[in-house]
Amino acid sequence: MTSNVRSPRDDEEELKAHIAILRGQSKSLKEVLTEMMDEEPSDDLVQAVENRILLAQEQEEAIDLEKIIESIQRMQSCWV
């Protein structure tokens, strides 16, 4: 599984994504993170990752979910 996230390149790609969602071929962010981490993430982690994805969309950049998760977990461990 790739951990890169980006916005659809064009209207056709966006339409394909919507069709996949309607067919039940999508996963929630929490499900994706659970698969990547081999454990269920906290709601706070899911929210932080979702916020980073939304920021990336606004800035029209791709992100690497693995790097985002590692960064957030490092920050959380510093606060504990």
Side-chain angles (χ1 to χ4, degrees):
M1 171 195 304
T2 180
S3 64
N4 291 331
V5 177
R6 62 168 175 76
S7 295
R9 290 187 184 118
D10 55 29
D11 291 340
E12 181 180 348
E13 196 172 74
E14 185 173 1
L15 179 60
K16 287 179 182 180
H18 285 290
I19 290 170
I21 291 168
L22 292 173
R23 288 183 175 167
Q25 296 172 317
S26 63
K27 295 180 183 182
S28 70
L29 180 57
K30 190 168 194 170
E31 290 172 314
V32 171
L33 296 176
T34 299
E35 286 180 14
M36 291 178 71
M37 299 171 57
D38 294 325
E39 64 181 338
E40 188 171 317
S42 69
D43 291 338
D44 290 337
L45 178 64
V46 174
Q47 186 65 48
V49 172
E50 182 178 354
N51 288 339
R52 183 60 185 97
I53 291 170
L54 292 173
L55 178 62
Q57 286 178 327
E58 288 177 14
Q59 296 177 347
E60 297 181 359
E61 66 181 15
I63 60 170
D64 185 325
L65 277 180
E66 287 182 16
K67 290 181 181 177
I68 298 298
I69 293 167
E70 289 171 9
S71 172
I72 292 169
Q73 287 177 324
R74 271 194 314 272
M75 192 179 338
Q76 287 176 335
S77 68
C78 290
W79 293 348
V80 175

